[in-house]
Amino acid sequence: MTRFQVRAEFLSRYSVKTVGGSIHQEYWIPAEDLPEFNRNIVGLIEVISEFRQSPT
């Protein structure tokens, strides 16, 4: 899982969607907007959790 900040001005163009349960909300950014999305990331991208499959 990663954590990063995106400029509010960029995100204001998109609506927040609820996915799955009511506590899961995310922005849906079209693939064609990805280069501009990347330019609007501010600061570092942090890895905050890892989920690995257990060996069987």
Side-chain angles (χ1 to χ4, degrees), residues 10-20 24-34 37:
F10 175 80
L11 288 177
S12 69
R13 298 184 228 169
Y14 305 94
S15 59
V16 175
K17 307 285 186 182
T18 300
V19 294
H24 299 106
Q25 296 184 322
E26 59 188 40
Y27 288 95
W28 287 10
I29 313 266
E32 59 268 15
D33 295 350
L34 185 57
F37 173 84

Side-chain angles (χ1 to χ4, degrees), residues 36 43 47:
E36 188 176 3
V47 176

Side-chain angles (χ1 to χ4, degrees), residues 2 5 14 19 24 36 45 50 54:
T2 59
Q5 295 182 0
Y14 305 94
V19 294
H24 299 106
E36 188 176 3
I45 299 173
E50 292 184 35
S54 302

